[in-house]
Structure formats: C-alpha cells, structure tokens
Amino acid sequence: MKDIYQLSKEELFKRFNSSEKGLSEAEAVRRIKKYGLNQLEEQKESVLLIFFRQFNNPLVYILIAAMGITVYMGDKIDAGIIGGIILVNGLLGFFQELKARASIQSLKKMTETKATVIRDGEEKTVPVSQVTVGDIVVVREGDVVPADIRLIDSSGLLVEEAVLTGESVPVEKDFQPIDDEDVPLYRRKNVLFKGTIVVRGWGVGIVYAVGKNTEIGKIAEKIKEKAPESPLNKAIKKFSLKWMLLLFGMLSVILVFGIIQGRDLYKLFMLIISELVSAVPEGLPLVITFVLVIGAVALAKKKTLVKYLPAVETLGSATYILSDKTGTITEGKLKVEDTFETDRHMLFLVSALCNDASGENGDPLEVALLKWLENKGYDWKEARQQYPRVWEYPFDTNLRLMATVNIIENSRYLLVKGAFESLKKMAVNDTDRFEQVHDQMAEKGLRVLAFGYSVVDDVPESIENVKINIVGLVGFLDPPKEGVKEAVETARKAGIRIIMVTGDNIKTAVAVAKKVSIYREGDVAVHGTKLKEYSDEELYNLLKMTSVVARATPEDKYRLVKLLQRNGEIVAVTGDGVNDVPALKVADLGIAMGSGTEAAKDVAKMIITDNNLSVIVEAVKQGRIIALNIRKVIYYLMSCSFGEILLLTSSFLLKLPLPLYPIQILWINVVTEGVQDKTFAFNKPEENIMDRKPEKPEKTFFDRKQLLDILFGASLIAFVNLLLFIYALEAFSYEKAVTLAFTSLIANQWINGFQAVKSEPYLKNLKSSIKANPYMFIGVGIGVLLQLSALYIFPEFMYAVPLSLSDWGFVLLTSVIVFFTLELKKLVFR
C-alpha cells in the first residue's frame, strides 16, 4: 500500500472518498463522530473527582483527625458539627470551581483558532476542532496548519516546521507526489503538519489525520508539558512557606507552655487544631482563580479575549507596550492620497499585477491600490486576464518588497513593489526626484510604496541582484484611530512606555506617532538597520528615550522584547502577522489582533477583537483592577486568620480560658470568609488606578506594605476582642463571655472586609464606598442570618448563649472601634 506522500491527486480522492468540492456538511458531521474532534485531548476530571478533590488538602485531614478524636472522647455533637462544616466548605468550593471551569471553557471557545475548508464546493471558515479526515483545506500566509494535510495544489509555499522538527528555517513545499519509499518527515515536501505555520504562499490539501493521530498529536501524547508557574503562584508559595514556619513555631511554643502550665491535654490539642484551622485560609487559591475568571469575563466584554488565564495577573504590571502602527494605532483603512509617476501606464500595470488582493479581500494596502485603479477607470481584472502571472516572490519582511513575473506582449516582465529604500538599491534610473517626493509624502504621515519593473529572459534566481526602473510612488493615507491619543496619555500617566514598532519609513512613522502623542519633543526614533550597532546595554538605555522603531524586522522586534525582559521589564506586544509570531510568543503579554493571522492568534496569550491601542490600554486598566482585587482578598483572608491566632495565643499566654471553641472558629470561617471572600471579584475600580506606576507582579500581591497591613489589621481585631473577653469574664459568665467574643469577632471581620474594598478612607465618599461592591452587602446579609440562627435557634451546638439587646452594644462598640481605627490608619498613611 502506497504511503500518503506517494499518492496522486486522484488516488487521494479515492482513498478518502472526497473531491475538489470537499465533503458535504452532513458527511463532515458523520466523520467528526467517527474520528473525533480535531484537538489534542486534555486530561479532564470527572465531576465526582472535582467534588472529592475539595477534601484533598492537609487542613481537611486535620479536621477529620479532630473529628475522630472528638468521637473517641464521646463528644458526638461536636464531631457531627465538624463533619457538617467540612461538607459545607467542600460544597461551596465544588460549586465555585464548576462555575470557574464553565467560564474558562466558554473563553476557550471564543479564542479557538479557525481554518478554511471547502465543503459543498464553497470556501467556509470553521473552528479547527471541526476539521475532519477528507476535508479539503486551504492555507494561506499566516495560517496555522489545522491538521496533517497532503497537498494537491500550491504556489510559492513556505512553511515553518520548528514546532515539529526544531528547525526554524522555513521549508519549501509543493504538491507533486514523491516516488521514494520510507521518506522521513522533514523530507516530505508535499505534506503539511498540524501546528506548523505558513510563512509565504498558499496551498490546498486533503486532511489525512486529525487530533492525536497527527504527528504533533503523537508527540503530545508522549510528553505532557506542564505550564510554567505564574508569578502569583510563586509569590503565594514563597509566602506560605514563611507563614507555615511562623505558625509551627508559635504552636510549638503553645504546646510547651501548655504542658508546663498543666493544661488539659484534650483541650490543648483542640486549641492547636483551632489555631491550625484559623491559620490556613484554605479557600485562597480557589478565590484567586474565581477573581481571575470573573476578571477574564469582564475583559471579554471589553473586547479582550483571554487565552491564558495567568496572563491576567501580569497584565496590570506592564511597563512597556510594543505596538504595531497599521490597524492598531491607525485605522488600517488605507486609501491612496498622493501619487507621483514617470510612466503612468507601467505604474498602473505593476499596481494591478504585482498584487494578491481580489476586490475586497486581501492586504488592506493592496485592496486600496485596486480601488484607486478603479477610480481612475483602469480595469485591473482585464489586465490580469491579459497578462498572466508565471512566477511570484511573496512579500519579504526583510527585503520589504514583493515581485512577480508576468507575460506582457510576449515578453517576461519582472514587476516589483515595496519600500522605496529597497527598490532604490535595485534601480538603474535616476532616483533623486523620487527620493525628494518620497520624503515629502512621508513627512505628511503617508505610507509610501515604490513601483518598478524590468524585462527579463527568465525568472530571477535572486531577487536582490535584479536591476529595475522605478516608475512611480503611491502615498497611502491611514489616519489615527479615535481614542488612541487619549489612551497614550493614560498609559503615560500609568508609567507605561509605548514604542511604535513598524515596518514603515521612519519619517512616516514619526509623523503618525506625533499625531497620537507617542512621539514628543526630546524622544528618539530609531531605524531598524541601526539596532545591530548597539550593544544590549546601550540599546536598553536608548529604549528608555525611544518612542519609534521604524523599518523593524521580526528579528528586531524579538530582540527588543528579550532585551527589555532581561532588564526586568514586563512587556506587552501587539501583532497580527506571521512575522510577529516570535515576539508574541516570548512576550509577557502577547496580544494578537482579532483580524490578524491564525498563527499570531495561536501563540498570543490574549486576542483583542477591536484592533485599537485604546482597547489594550483599557485591558491594562482591567488587569490592574483584577490584581488589586486579588491583593485585597489576600489581605482580608490573612488578616482575619492571623487575628484569630493572635486572640487565641494571647489568651493562652495570659492564662485565660479559651475565648473561642474549635467549633466556633470553624463557624466563623463559614459566616465571614465563606460569604465575603468571593465578593471581592466584583469590586468596582478605584478612581486613581491608572495614576499609579506599574509594580512587579510579585510585589503587587506581597510587598512590605501588604505584610504590615495584615499585621496591623490582625493585631487590631485580636486586641479589641481580647479586651472585650477580659472584661466579659469579670462581668458575666464564661459562656456569655465566649459568646460575646465569638459574635464580636465575626462582626469585626465583616467590618474588615468592607474596609478592604477601598484603599482610600471609607467615609471620604460614602456613596461611592457603598456602591463599590453591592455583592458584599448581600454576602454579609447571609452571614448575619446564619449568626442569628447560631445564637437564637441552635446556640447549644455552638456553645453559645442568646445575647440581649444590651449585649449587642458591646459588639457594636468593638465594630465601631475597628472601623474608625482602620479609617484613621488610611488617613494617616495615605
């Protein structure tokens, strides 16, 4: 049996029961059921496994051990309550994780790569997962190959197969059958492999393998690569290690002192269990994921689709944005504004023939050329029929030109269009006047193309050695987008430097950059060809003053990103073409344009559906809001937990009876953290969020100020409630003293949560503070009902007694003290 690369077109159609018209939609559906979805299968957890995983953590093991001991000691009611609280916490985590997973899956669907197939004789765009065996697929420059495909037609096709072979140099492909046997993968010139990238040209082929049966799928099955840890996870792990060392140190001291003091071993053990329960905010990782997911959903509503969730953490920390010009800063809706020619007929011919656009479809610049020709009354369709193309050299990002050979009046004409600097090197005619006009156009902010030709005997072996006559220049107007100038000013205030990295002429780039305030007096504009003259240190120092890099190559963009990262910068990069892929891939935040190539969207961490710099700056703002909400929830959970530990420890060291029962501590976690922490995801943005300088991701969540704030909040809550407990022991029974401390601590933690919502004093703008997070009021309302039930419906289960109206005055007093002390701290240290 012949191998796939040996078959002729007819044999391929016969083997896969397909044709040039492709599959029918009904047949495609049938084959998807047969062969499965065209995707590398993720390891999915069952709902049951997700449920049981909620109980797979050291804290739950400790609680289960405590439950076993209480049963052994004959205290079955306590054991039942501990078991019930474990179950409630597990259920809360379970439903929260299901919701988060559903949101992530919907985001994945929104960002799925698309492919072009022929079905029922018509070209259609479908999600890559819906491509199946026997489909006829069309690939063009910038596409990611959607499946393993055997070519049946192609032209000038170059494919980068680094993902499969490790070789970064693009490989030439064609559709002719190969007669040899046992041809290795890298020599199969008529086969395209899933995940590789089309660099130039186009191809049509038939799908012969999908999903895990593709070559990349076979590799993926053998090697499951773990995603790198996000900065937030690293910071939490680092903090957790220090926290646990501190905690075990404190518990060791308590154990030793307890034995010396002759404390009851059962009560001592339950105290240690209580402190462990207080110390570990087990819901923190899930709450952070919840905040990130809610943030990603909010970003999607603002035209930014998140592909890689941890990228949201670093979004607000961006210090540099390397932005494209066309379509991001400018409209991308080009129109011919000015022309200069010495041979009008040849200028029209080159514009029509050295052009891959077809009517409304194609590169915006080439589409604009065709519209200009139509406005001039020139029939470019007839010209293409009359003068057929016999050879092409697709646009080269390094040489900045495109060329074709067409038969014109029985002669071979080489037609070239591209950057004036590139064509000037090839010109045999005088270019002084062209250069003068070119500079005048560029200084107006026009994007300028040069056009030339020569008569050749055969297709050229090297385009760089060809000599041509330049016949004209065309200047394209591409006005700045609305809102970009304001976005640039916002980014500048936020401490973010925007550098326009473009392939355009330096004069055009500077003129456009000036219009949108990217380039200001004293800034530097650098020509891409000059970058290699600088050492890394010199270039980094230069970038601090640079706002435009013109005539930049993909290699230049890549170097800029890596250089900035090595110097500790967080870099966001925008891109839409296959040439942007290397920079997008290595950037901290690779942001692809929604209208860009599939290759760019495939490697990017985010996709913006509205190609506009203002959307990117707005996304950075959202990133800062999300990061600040995570910071706030970390403060809230840690200060509440540490406050409980300090209260218990200080009571113990003062030889007082325990102010809280272990059951009460578990209950506190349900009615405070359990109802409040999830609401932090819905905090409204603070007014001055974009007036702050960016911070490193790890500093955003755990810096000196955060740790001091946690210590202050915890100490305040512990001290106030310790004083209340000491007073209550003198004035009332032990049961009432415990109940007062129990209820007061809960109310104080609610107050701490409200104060954590805003960085500025709560009373500075009371109306704004109340509106800052309405969901928190709902959460606390639920908590209040639960606590009232604990006091008046089943107090005996909580070792509590019902409080009188006058007793509530003590709870109110401690809450007022906590509120105004936190308020005063904000005023003093702001």
Side-chain angles (χ1 to χ4, degrees):
M1 186 176 173
K2 285 184 179 181
D3 212 324
I4 194 76
Y5 54 83
Q6 297 174 311
L7 300 174
S8 66
K9 185 196 288 190
E10 291 72 24
E11 289 171 321
L12 284 165
F13 287 151
K14 187 175 179 181
R15 179 176 290 188
F16 295 104
N17 194 19
S18 189
S19 70
E20 287 183 342
K21 290 184 177 181
L23 304 175
S24 67
E25 285 292 349
E27 179 62 15
V29 169
R30 191 188 69 77
R31 293 195 187 192
I32 289 168
K33 285 179 183 174
K34 180 180 178 182
Y35 297 105
L37 290 172
N38 178 32
Q39 58 191 23
L40 304 183
E41 292 177 12
E42 296 177 16
Q43 289 182 329
K44 289 187 177 178
E45 290 181 300
S46 68
V47 173
L48 202 61
L49 195 61
I50 293 169
F51 174 73
F52 283 116
R53 192 161 41 73
Q54 306 306 314
F55 308 98
N56 183 24
N57 71 64
L59 177 66
V60 174
Y61 301 153
I62 291 166
L63 290 177
I64 291 170
M67 189 170 69
I69 290 168
T70 53
V71 169
Y72 178 76
M73 300 296 288
D75 198 346
K76 293 180 180 177
I77 292 175
D78 270 13
I81 293 170
I82 291 171
I85 288 172
I86 291 171
L87 183 62
V88 168
N89 272 328
L91 286 169
L92 282 171
F94 171 66
F95 288 117
Q96 192 176 329
E97 184 165 344
L98 284 184
K99 187 175 180 181
R101 282 171 174 261
S103 298
I104 290 169
Q105 284 304 314
S106 66
L107 286 169
K108 279 185 176 179
K109 284 181 183 176
M110 291 166 75
T111 59
E112 188 176 357
T113 311
K114 301 290 192 293
T116 303
V117 298
I118 297 173
R119 287 185 184 163
D120 295 315
E122 294 179 5
E123 268 196 28
K124 296 178 181 178
T125 302
V126 299
V128 164
S129 61
Q130 300 298 310
V131 173
T132 190
V133 174
D135 258 327
I136 304 298
V137 172
V138 182
V139 292
R140 300 182 177 91
E141 182 179 323
D143 284 347
V144 178
V145 177
D148 282 2
I149 297 167
R150 169 56 209 281
L151 288 168
I152 57 174
D153 196 8
S154 65
S155 175
L157 192 58
L158 274 181
V159 178
E160 190 222 86
E161 296 183 335
V163 68
L164 196 63
T165 65
E167 180 56 61
S168 60
V169 178
V171 179
E172 285 189 35
K173 297 282 185 177
D174 66 57
F175 60 92
Q176 299 298 339
I178 300 170
D179 295 329
D180 299 346
E181 294 184 2
D182 299 322
V183 177
L185 291 179
Y186 65 89
R187 285 186 52 211
R188 296 181 187 179
K189 302 293 186 186
N190 57 11
V191 174
L192 304 182
F193 300 105
K194 181 177 174 66
T196 58
I197 297 169
V198 179
V199 177
R200 279 192 211 153
W202 59 268
V204 179
I206 188 166
V207 174
Y208 69 88
V210 295
K212 64 181 181 181
N213 295 318
T214 60
E215 294 301 329
I216 198 79
K218 292 171 189 173
I219 296 170
E221 285 296 305
K222 294 172 187 172
I223 306 168
K224 298 282 186 185
E225 187 179 347
K226 277 184 78 176
E229 269 199 306
S230 70
L232 176 57
N233 278 340
K234 287 178 185 174
I236 288 175
K237 275 193 175 178
K238 194 175 177 182
F239 176 80
S240 298
L241 182 63
K242 292 177 181 176
W243 177 245
M244 294 310 289
L245 287 172
L246 174 67
L247 177 65
F248 281 114
M250 288 175 67
L251 294 181
S252 300
V253 169
I254 288 170
L255 183 64
V256 171
F257 268 81
I259 293 168
I260 292 169
Q261 290 176 1
R263 297 259 185 166
D264 180 271
L265 282 178
Y266 172 66
K267 288 183 178 176
L268 188 61
F269 173 76
M270 292 310 287
L271 168 69
I272 290 171
I273 292 291
S274 302
E275 296 228 10
L276 278 171
V277 171
S278 300
V280 185
E282 76 282 2
L284 182 59
L286 199 55
V287 170
I288 287 171
T289 302
F290 187 66
V291 174
L292 287 172
V293 170
I294 295 297
V297 171
L299 280 165
K301 290 175 183 175
K302 293 181 180 287
K303 303 174 182 177
T304 304
L305 307 179
V306 178
K307 287 183 65 186
Y308 180 63
L309 199 58
V312 178
E313 298 167 20
T314 47
L315 184 57
S317 299
T319 53
Y320 277 80
I321 297 175
L322 304 190
S323 175
D324 278 351
K325 178 181 76 70
T326 305
T328 308
I329 292 168
T330 62
E331 291 281 357
K333 296 172 183 174
L334 294 145
K335 69 171 185 176
V336 175
E337 182 73 6
D338 200 0
T339 61
F340 173 78
E341 71 274 341
T342 54
D343 186 334
R344 189 179 184 84
H345 173 66
M346 283 310 300
L347 174 61
F348 282 6
L349 262 184
V350 181
S351 300
L353 303 178
C354 187
N355 186 325
D356 287 332
S358 55
E360 295 295 325
N361 300 319
D363 183 280
L365 191 141
E366 294 188 324
V367 170
L369 269 178
L370 297 184
K371 285 184 178 176
W372 169 66
L373 291 172
E374 287 172 357
N375 291 337
K376 294 293 180 183
Y378 188 84
D379 192 339
W380 55 269
K381 292 178 183 175
E382 187 183 326
R384 288 184 180 180
Q385 287 178 345
Q386 195 174 346
Y387 310 123
R389 182 187 295 185
V390 294
W391 177 84
E392 64 182 86
Y393 183 83
F395 181 75
D396 188 311
T397 53
N398 291 311
L399 295 179
R400 306 217 163 275
L401 57 80
M402 169 191 178
T404 64
V405 172
N406 292 67
I407 304 298
I408 301 173
E409 295 170 0
N410 298 322
S411 296
R412 284 188 171 87
Y413 276 66
L414 175 74
L415 311 176
V416 186
K417 81 168 189 295
F420 173 70
E421 298 97 308
S422 301
L423 270 66
K424 179 184 171 184
K425 294 173 186 173
M426 303 161 68
V428 293
N429 56 328
D430 183 31
T431 59
D432 289 347
R433 178 61 181 146
F434 284 106
E435 188 158 8
Q436 186 183 359
V437 174
H438 169 273
D439 290 351
Q440 288 170 355
M441 288 184 183
E443 283 164 5
K444 294 178 192 172
L446 300 184
R447 187 173 178 182
V448 187
L449 279 188
F451 298 76
Y453 80 99
S454 67
V455 180
V456 294
D457 295 327
D458 205 347
V459 297
E461 291 183 10
S462 171
I463 193 70
E464 295 173 75
N465 298 325
V466 170
K467 297 300 176 186
I468 62 169
N469 282 287
I470 296 180
V471 294
L473 302 171
V474 175
F476 299 83
L477 179 66
D478 188 10
K481 282 188 172 177
E482 194 177 331
V484 168
K485 188 173 182 178
E486 292 78 6
V488 170
E489 296 294 350
T490 301
R492 188 172 282 122
K493 278 200 295 182
I496 304 164
R497 185 165 196 89
I498 296 176
I499 301 178
M500 180 197 288
V501 182
T502 177
D504 262 356
N505 173 275
I506 195 163
K507 291 184 177 179
T508 303
V510 168
V512 173
K514 279 180 179 176
K515 288 179 182 177
V516 294
S517 293
I518 288 177
Y519 185 94
R520 299 189 300 177
E521 195 171 334
D523 282 358
V524 174
V526 183
H527 200 288
T529 56
K530 301 288 184 185
L531 293 178
K532 58 172 120 10
E533 297 174 10
Y534 298 100
S535 68
D536 282 355
E537 187 180 348
E538 289 169 339
L539 183 54
Y540 176 61
N541 289 326
L542 183 66
L543 287 176
K544 293 174 185 177
M545 303 176 286
T546 300
S547 54
V548 173
V549 179
R551 292 299 189 217
T553 64
E555 292 77 16
D556 294 333
K557 203 170 184 179
Y558 178 85
R559 183 191 174 195
L560 294 178
V561 175
K562 295 296 285 182
L563 177 61
L564 289 168
Q565 287 175 324
R566 279 199 299 273
N567 284 277
E569 307 291 353
I570 304 293
V571 187
V573 171
T574 72
D576 58 2
V578 66
N579 55 311
D580 294 313
V581 166
L584 285 170
K585 204 168 188 177
V586 298
D588 298 283
L589 294 156
I591 304 170
M593 306 295 114
S595 60
T597 60
E598 294 301 325
K601 286 188 271 190
D602 191 54
V603 300
K605 294 181 176 75
M606 294 182 182
I607 299 169
I608 58 172
T609 55
D610 181 356
N611 305 354
N612 195 322
L613 184 66
S614 61
V615 174
I616 297 165
V617 174
E618 179 61 30
V620 171
K621 180 182 175 182
Q622 286 295 316
R624 290 194 176 188
I625 293 166
I626 293 161
L628 189 58
N629 286 343
I630 291 172
R631 180 186 174 93
K632 288 172 180 176
V633 81
I634 289 171
Y635 159 78
Y636 168 69
L637 290 173
M638 298 309 299
S639 60
C640 288
S641 295
F642 196 41
E644 292 168 18
I645 291 173
L646 288 178
L647 175 61
L648 290 165
T649 305
S650 54
S651 300
F652 179 81
L653 295 175
L654 290 170
K655 296 186 178 180
L656 298 171
L658 288 180
L660 296 168
Y661 286 90
I663 292 297
Q664 290 175 334
I665 293 169
L666 288 170
W667 181 255
I668 288 168
N669 289 350
V670 171
V671 299
T672 58
E673 295 168 12
V675 298
Q676 255 184 314
D677 58 6
K678 284 83 178 168
T679 66
F680 278 87
F682 303 101
N683 285 349
K684 297 278 172 62
E686 302 211 8
E687 291 173 10
N688 60 347
I689 194 95
M690 289 300 276
D691 292 342
R692 308 170 189 178
K693 300 300 177 192
E695 290 184 294
K696 296 281 188 292
E698 58 274 15
K699 294 286 185 187
T700 303
F701 309 113
F702 292 103
D703 60 358
R704 188 168 175 269
K705 184 181 182 304
Q706 173 83 313
L707 296 176
L708 289 173
D709 285 345
I710 289 169
L711 184 61
F712 183 88
S715 301
L716 172 65
I717 291 170
F719 179 69
V720 168
N721 285 282
L722 180 64
L723 290 180
L724 173 64
F725 183 60
I726 292 170
Y727 171 79
L729 282 174
E730 294 287 332
F732 310 112
S733 66
Y734 173 63
E735 288 78 12
K736 182 173 272 195
V738 168
T739 305
L740 280 170
F742 172 46
T743 307
S744 171
L745 187 63
I746 288 171
N748 294 174
Q749 289 190 8
W750 288 333
I751 293 296
N752 191 30
F754 282 117
Q755 280 284 8
V757 167
K758 294 196 79 174
S759 303
E760 65 177 17
Y762 200 85
L763 297 176
K764 183 183 175 184
N765 187 337
L766 186 58
K767 189 177 178 181
S768 166
S769 298
I770 291 169
K771 289 181 177 179
N773 191 339
Y775 293 98
M776 190 166 284
F777 288 95
I778 297 170
V780 170
I782 294 167
V784 168
L785 291 174
L786 289 170
Q787 182 59 12
L788 290 174
S789 301
L791 293 179
Y792 299 108
I793 298 175
F794 47 87
E796 62 279 5
F797 293 127
M798 289 292 139
Y799 297 98
V801 294
L803 295 177
S804 67
L805 193 61
S806 59
D807 294 333
W808 280 99
F810 292 107
V811 176
L812 180 64
L813 178 63
T814 60
S815 300
V816 168
I817 291 169
V818 169
F819 180 87
F820 281 101
T821 306
L822 290 173
E823 192 80 346
L824 185 63
K825 173 184 162 286
K826 288 182 181 180
L827 280 167
V828 172
F829 293 103
R830 189 161 174 76

